Amino acid sequence: MEVRILQLGFGVLFLLVAQHAPAIAIPSSECQRQCGNVEIPYPFGIGENCSLETDFAVSCEVEDGISKPFIGDHFELLNISLAESTIRVLNFIASFCYNPSTGSMEIGGVAGLDASDSPYRFSDVHNKFTVIGCNTLAYISSSNNTGYQSGCVSTCSRMSDLTDGSCSGMGCCQTEIPKGMDYYSADFERGFNTNMSRIISRFSRCSYAVLMEAAAFNFSTAYITTTKFNDTGAGRAPMVIDWAIRNGTASCEVAKRNETGTYACLSSNSECVDSVNGPGYVCNCSHGYQGNPYLPDGCKGVIVAFFILIIFSFSGYLIFQKKKLNKVKQEYFSQHGGLLLFEKMKSERGISFTVFTEAELIHATDNYDKSRIIGKGGNGTVYKGIIKDKMHVAIKRCALIGERQKKEFGQEMLILSQINHKNIVKLVGCCLEVEVPMLVYEFIPNDTLYELIHGKNRALQISFTTLLRIAHEAAEGLNFLHSYASPPIIHGDVKTANILLDENYMAKVADFGASILAPSDEGQYVTMVQGTCGYLDPEYMQTCQLTDKSDVYSFGVILLEVLTGQVPLKLDGPETQRNLSSHFLSAMKENNLDALLASEVKGQESSEMIRGLAELAKQCLDMCGVNRPTMKEVADEIGRLRKLSFHPWVQVTDTESEGLLDGASSTTGFEIDVATTTGYPMQEGQFDFGPTKLSEWASGLVGWMFKSRWSVWVLSQLQSCLCKDF
Ligand SMILES: *[C@@H]1O[C@H](CO)[C@@H](O)[C@H](O)[C@H]1NC(C)=O
Ligand SMILES: *[C@@H]1O[C@H](CO)[C@@H](O)[C@H](O)[C@H]1NC(C)=O
Ligand SMILES: *[C@@H]1O[C@H](CO)[C@@H](O)[C@H](O)[C@H]1NC(C)=O
Ligand SMILES: *[C@@H]1O[C@H](CO)[C@@H](O)[C@H](O)[C@H]1NC(C)=O
Ligand SMILES: *[C@@H]1O[C@H](CO)[C@@H](O)[C@H](O)[C@H]1NC(C)=O
Ligand SMILES: *[C@@H]1O[C@H](CO)[C@@H](O)[C@H](O)[C@H]1NC(C)=O
Ligand SMILES: *[C@@H]1O[C@H](CO)[C@@H](O)[C@H](O)[C@H]1NC(C)=O
Ligand SMILES: *[C@@H]1O[C@H](CO)[C@@H](O)[C@H](O)[C@H]1NC(C)=O
Ligand SMILES: *[C@H]1O[C@H](CO)[C@@H](O)[C@H](O)[C@H]1NC(C)=O
């Protein structure tokens, strides 16, 4: 039987055509670029004038209803790679079979491939000459008994010697090929394959040999016992072929010299690369470009595309993040009872309460700028903010709160927002879409009562009358809190540092955001520890039950501060004097009150009033809550006592006293006097404290932080303080 060798290139034919080809013609855009699943990029092409040269011409044929590209002598084209300058084709398998009828061995299939004088070379990198069979010796030759010849032997005496996946001489052998091969023929050694009749009973009667892609081959023992190897690819196996522009022996250097007309790298962003397998050159897009270097403007900047991709994916990422953030915000919002709050706000119209978005508060505080901080503690920070570019507010941004407290927030906000009294700092709104809700209060510019009594500016000589008025106003405010709702709203942290002063030095009770409706179930008492050392109701310490009388006790301490000008706790003083209230009570017992009184009180105020105040304070400080007066009684009593003052101001401010009789304190002339005579800054713009003042203000505002039943953080602080002072 004759040995068949198929042709891949057209060799001589090409040379004839080439002589007529004057210049490289740009292929028409109408050229078909797809055949079946295979893309056919230029320099390859389907149809006349669509490929760079005839050897790159592809024919697209329908086989079994499927379009398939073919090249050369009917080699099926699997794909074309421009970047690697390779094509994959299906090569034909040569067979060597025992013919029982003649008793001889016969060569079948296609025994070789001739690609001489074509742009094609067998890839030495990807292909291996692969032989399957028992007692088979096969050769591969580059030409008729001249030049290169190689081969390999495959034997198999026992079936157990064969292993799937292993091709190393047992039923299968492989050998590499050299570079530059454009022709091969396969042959079987007839002398070696003797006596097939002996083994034919156990093994397939055929041996095979093919030059094929090594990566596409995986030996199976079934290849020895059956015809599976031939059947799988219908007598064919994939093979990789390197192609290049090989016009004669043209290299890049030569080709470029003849740039006009024959140079194939038409794209401006392409470069010429000498072929690694055989003569000639290939074109490649320059670094940063991708596309077809054989077409004018075929190489497109990858970097631009890359950036567009980056921008797209980045904005996509942002959108995703924003969606995620919004989801988180919504979760927080409903978790904190925001929906309930919204519903209530809708049904109860006229509530001047705002639910702020996080963005609004960020804008109001210059993204929580350091310069906006007006109070800072371990548990949170208070910022001065400007809402809608005009309204000044104090924004409380807290650290974490307990899981349990989160849920009640919206409802509590609603109640607190409805409290509207001139001696209580107004809660303007809140922000619920953050992990820990933020509270927004009206901004009170003039420091605290604590500062007024104990601060650096004591030299300002605030009159006792003024202090007493402020205390009276604070009492009114607390009375309002206690009587506003049932169960009563308990402040829980009454102290001079929580009594803020507005521009007219009117008292504004602050930090009621930390106060809560009196708890109704026992379970809540356990974690409720709040207050400030020196002001703490001793009964509360024992029962852990916060009542309105706890506020009364703390207010008693405030009265003492007003009377004595001393701080509630003096840790550096003598033992007996450390705690102002116990010091006061023992002084009262010994009838030695004068020693405690502030110098400006002594002898200057009506002794009846002083005694009355001391007596009131004593009642407030009663160890037993039920014996203490109510906040209303305290406020009324202070109002009564204020009228006893023989201070000259009283005559001047007769109207004020009358106002007090009506249960409302006035904020006229009198306070303005204080402000102007003391030289206190009146304008908000001057509200720039020095660092010390700021920190004192801060200490007052730290009290604002969530404590009360919303957190247990105070507990540890309190415990250390309890051991020392109680
Ligand atoms: C191919 O190119 C040749 C020469 O330029 C021209 O004569 C011929 O008509 C073209 N064929 C087609 C199908 O365009
Ligand atoms: C070539 O074809 C094979 C199989 O069809 C496929 O796996 C491979 O990705 C293709 N390669 C290219 C460069 O298209
Ligand atoms: C191989 O030899 C035969 C005859 O000896 C000849 O016809 C054929 O062209 C040769 N092939 C090559 C590739 O040299
Ligand atoms: C070859 O085939 C065997 C089984 O037939 C399989 O276990 C092995 O992973 C395959 N190897 C490769 C490289 O595909
Ligand atoms: C291999 O397969 C092809 C296509 O199916 C067939 O024509 C040929 O006869 C087979 N060869 C052998 C040895 O089985
Ligand atoms: C380059 O062009 C010259 C004529 O300009 C021609 O003689 C020569 O053969 C060309 N060389 C190649 C490699 O195309
Ligand atoms: C191939 O080279 C010949 C000269 O050797 C030249 O005339 C012809 O244009 C070239 N063809 C291509 C496609 O480069
Ligand atoms: C073409 O360039 C790419 C990178 O730009 C490189 O990976 C590839 O190997 C080059 N191809 C050839 C044939 O040089
Ligand atoms: C194979 O060996 C048998 C004896 O086992 C012999 O009869 C036969 O002639 C041999 N065949 C060939 C082709 O050598």
Side-chain angles (χ1 to χ4, degrees):
M1 193 178 173
E2 206 179 315
V3 175
R4 282 170 67 207
I5 293 184
L6 296 180
Q7 283 222 323
L8 186 56
F10 293 91
V12 179
L13 176 65
F14 159 72
L15 284 178
L16 291 173
V17 171
Q19 273 164 11
H20 299 288
I24 286 178
I26 299 161
S28 157
S29 59
E30 281 160 25
C31 288
Q32 188 184 340
R33 288 288 160 216
Q34 185 94 21
C35 180
N37 291 327
V38 185
E39 214 187 316
I40 315 291
Y42 191 76
F44 292 82
I46 301 164
E48 205 183 342
N49 298 348
C50 281
S51 57
L52 177 64
E53 48 184 83
T54 45
D55 280 342
F56 291 138
V58 176
S59 63
C60 191
E61 294 164 23
V62 179
E63 210 177 67
D64 303 332
I66 305 167
S67 292
K68 288 179 181 171
F70 292 88
I71 199 161
D73 239 351
H74 226 66
F75 290 90
E76 188 179 335
L77 188 59
L78 295 180
N79 48 27
I80 299 169
S81 165
L82 291 185
E84 291 175 31
S85 300
T86 58
I87 55 171
R88 288 171 82 238
V89 297
L90 285 177
N91 190 19
F92 295 90
I93 297 171
S95 61
F96 188 51
C97 299
Y98 175 73
N99 185 341
S101 57
T102 61
S104 63
M105 302 295 295
E106 289 170 3
I107 287 186
V110 179
L113 202 168
D114 183 1
S116 51
D117 293 322
S118 83
Y120 302 113
R121 298 291 181 274
F122 313 134
S123 168
D124 57 308
V125 177
H126 294 103
N127 300 316
K128 275 181 179 164
F129 180 62
T130 304
V131 177
I132 309 249
C134 286
N135 289 7
T136 306
L137 168 57
Y139 304 104
I140 177 171
S141 319
S142 67
S143 60
N144 289 354
N145 297 324
T146 57
Y148 170 80
Q149 186 170 38
S150 185
C152 68
V153 175
S154 165
T155 59
C156 44
S157 46
R158 284 189 309 266
M159 192 62 197
S160 55
D161 293 338
L162 310 177
T163 321
D164 279 350
S166 160
C167 185
S168 51
M170 299 286 196
C172 171
C173 69
Q174 281 181 317
T175 185
E176 295 190 356
I177 60 161
K179 263 191 205 312
M181 269 179 82
D182 59 358
Y183 173 96
Y184 92 88
S185 66
D187 202 0
F188 295 89
E189 176 58 59
R190 286 166 188 278
F192 194 83
N193 292 78
T194 50
N195 228 334
M196 275 307 276
S197 56
R198 241 179 12 199
I199 50 177
I200 192 140
S201 51
R202 286 175 295 145
F203 300 109
S204 158
R205 59 185 182 90
C206 292
S207 298
Y208 305 99
V210 65
L211 182 64
M212 70 173 291
E213 186 180 14
F217 179 75
N218 186 9
F219 178 70
S220 160
T221 51
Y223 293 170
I224 290 300
T225 54
T226 67
T227 56
K228 189 180 170 193
F229 180 65
N230 184 68
D231 295 345
T232 304
R236 298 173 301 173
M239 173 196 201
V240 180
I241 293 172
D242 292 323
W243 55 267
I245 313 297
R246 311 184 205 268
N247 200 352
T249 55
S251 64
C252 279
E253 209 190 334
V254 178
K256 276 181 185 168
R257 246 187 274 141
N258 282 14
E259 210 159 330
T260 47
T262 61
Y263 184 53
C265 304
L266 293 183
S267 178
S268 48
N269 296 309
S270 68
E271 49 194 47
C272 184
V273 183
D274 282 334
S275 169
V276 290
N277 192 4
Y281 62 92
V282 297
C283 307
N284 205 0
C285 284
S286 309
H287 190 72
Y289 292 87
Q290 252 177 18
N292 191 333
Y294 300 94
L295 292 173
D297 299 322
C299 293
K300 306 273 193 309
V302 193
I303 291 167
V304 176
F306 180 73
F307 271 107
I308 289 170
L309 189 77
I310 290 272
I311 288 166
F312 263 102
S313 49
F314 186 69
S315 49
Y317 175 78
L318 285 186
I319 289 166
F320 171 75
Q321 284 294 320
K322 202 168 167 181
K323 269 192 183 158
K324 206 167 115 187
L325 190 71
N326 277 341
K327 198 167 162 243
V328 168
K329 279 181 178 178
Q330 262 174 13
E331 265 168 26
Y332 281 138
F333 187 80
S334 54
Q335 196 178 50
H336 297 319
L339 300 176
L340 190 84
L341 184 61
F342 255 151
E343 253 168 49
K344 284 269 178 68
M345 281 170 69
K346 244 192 274 168
S347 59
E348 297 173 39
R349 268 157 217 244
I351 299 174
S352 58
F353 186 74
T354 315
V355 177
F356 293 100
T357 64
E358 192 185 8
E360 277 174 312
L361 297 192
I362 286 174
H363 177 73
T365 56
D366 263 354
N367 197 14
Y368 308 113
D369 194 80
K370 275 196 184 128
S371 66
R372 297 298 192 89
I373 295 177
I374 49 177
K376 196 177 180 137
N379 300 279
T381 312
V382 180
Y383 296 87
K384 183 183 176 176
I386 301 168
I387 300 278
K388 295 188 180 102
D389 295 327
K390 52 179 195 284
M391 183 182 172
H392 290 244
V393 292
I395 295 166
K396 213 158 86 167
R397 193 187 189 207
C398 304
L400 288 167
I401 57 170
E403 191 63 37
R404 187 175 64 85
Q405 287 81 10
K406 284 179 182 171
K407 299 179 189 91
E408 309 152 15
F409 215 95
Q411 191 146 23
E412 283 166 4
M413 284 301 97
L414 193 73
I415 291 161
L416 296 177
S417 71
Q418 286 165 316
I419 293 170
N420 200 354
H421 188 269
K422 65 182 187 310
N423 294 124
I424 293 176
V425 174
K426 180 105 186 81
L427 183 66
V428 181
C430 64
C431 173
L432 298 176
E433 62 184 32
V434 283
E435 187 177 6
V436 180
M438 289 191 272
L439 301 182
V440 182
Y441 293 93
E442 70 174 311
F443 182 74
I444 308 295
N446 260 354
D447 238 328
T448 66
L449 180 58
Y450 181 92
E451 191 60 33
L452 214 55
I453 300 174
H454 313 293
K456 291 257 159 50
N457 288 321
R458 288 225 48 219
L460 294 171
Q461 290 295 330
I462 302 295
S463 75
F464 179 72
T465 322
T466 307
L467 293 181
L468 196 57
R469 175 184 53 77
I470 293 170
H472 186 205
E473 288 167 351
E476 294 284 2
L478 289 171
N479 175 33
F480 183 81
L481 273 187
H482 287 182
S483 55
Y484 178 77
S486 175
I489 299 167
I490 298 163
H491 187 288
D493 195 15
V494 174
K495 57 182 177 182
T496 46
N498 272 342
I499 296 172
L500 307 188
L501 301 169
D502 73 1
E503 55 275 8
N504 295 322
Y505 282 80
M506 182 165 76
K508 294 268 190 186
V509 177
D511 200 19
F512 67 95
S515 71
I516 35 89
L517 301 173
S520 47
D521 69 299
E522 301 283 325
Q524 291 184 323
Y525 300 151
V526 184
T527 51
M528 277 175 42
V529 176
Q530 62 173 359
T532 304
C533 292
Y535 293 92
L536 275 171
D537 173 8
E539 196 178 55
Y540 165 57
M541 304 305 308
Q542 285 168 5
T543 61
C544 271
Q545 187 165 3
L546 199 65
T547 67
D548 50 350
K549 293 299 177 68
S550 308
D551 283 351
V552 173
Y553 181 93
S554 305
F555 190 79
V557 179
I558 289 182
L559 281 181
L560 294 191
E561 286 180 77
V562 169
L563 276 172
T564 66
Q566 292 179 24
V567 290
L569 268 185
K570 258 191 291 189
L571 294 179
D572 51 349
E575 191 98 17
T576 53
Q577 293 177 18
R578 280 194 189 166
N579 187 287
L580 181 59
S581 50
S582 54
H583 189 198
F584 165 79
L585 288 174
S586 62
M588 280 289 276
K589 216 180 248 173
E590 292 156 16
N591 217 352
N592 189 18
L593 185 62
D594 268 13
L596 257 178
L597 293 180
S599 53
E600 63 268 29
V601 177
K602 253 184 272 183
Q604 292 201 23
E605 302 290 339
S606 134
S607 59
E608 194 192 342
M609 182 188 77
I610 298 300
R611 249 183 290 118
L613 279 176
E615 189 53 40
L616 181 62
K618 192 184 150 195
Q619 287 170 20
C620 291
L621 296 173
D622 197 291
M623 292 306 269
C624 188
V626 290
N627 294 339
R628 294 173 205 153
T630 63
M631 212 61 224
K632 176 160 177 39
E633 285 163 345
V634 172
D636 291 350
E637 177 65 4
I638 298 175
R640 192 184 67 78
L641 292 170
R642 279 182 70 195
K643 281 186 282 175
L644 296 175
S645 172
F646 58 67
H647 195 278
W649 285 113
V650 174
Q651 275 77 44
V652 180
T653 58
D654 246 356
T655 48
E656 188 213 351
S657 304
E658 274 162 28
L660 286 173
L661 287 177
D662 302 337
S665 76
S666 118
T667 57
T668 50
F670 179 93
E671 287 80 19
I672 291 161
D673 261 357
V674 174
T676 46
T677 52
T678 56
Y680 251 68
M682 292 290 292
Q683 294 91 350
E684 260 165 25
Q686 288 172 261
F687 191 58
D688 285 330
F689 296 130
T692 51
K693 259 205 124 183
L694 188 68
S695 69
E696 277 152 6
W697 217 89
S699 75
L701 281 160
V702 168
W704 279 35
M705 302 311 152
F706 285 76
K707 347 182 171 81
S708 73
R709 76 170 185 200
W710 286 345
S711 73
V712 291
W713 69 272
V714 211
L715 190 58
S716 54
Q717 285 167 281
L718 205 58
Q719 275 167 344
S720 59
C721 134
L722 291 180
C723 302
K724 259 186 245 155
D725 304 304
F726 290 94

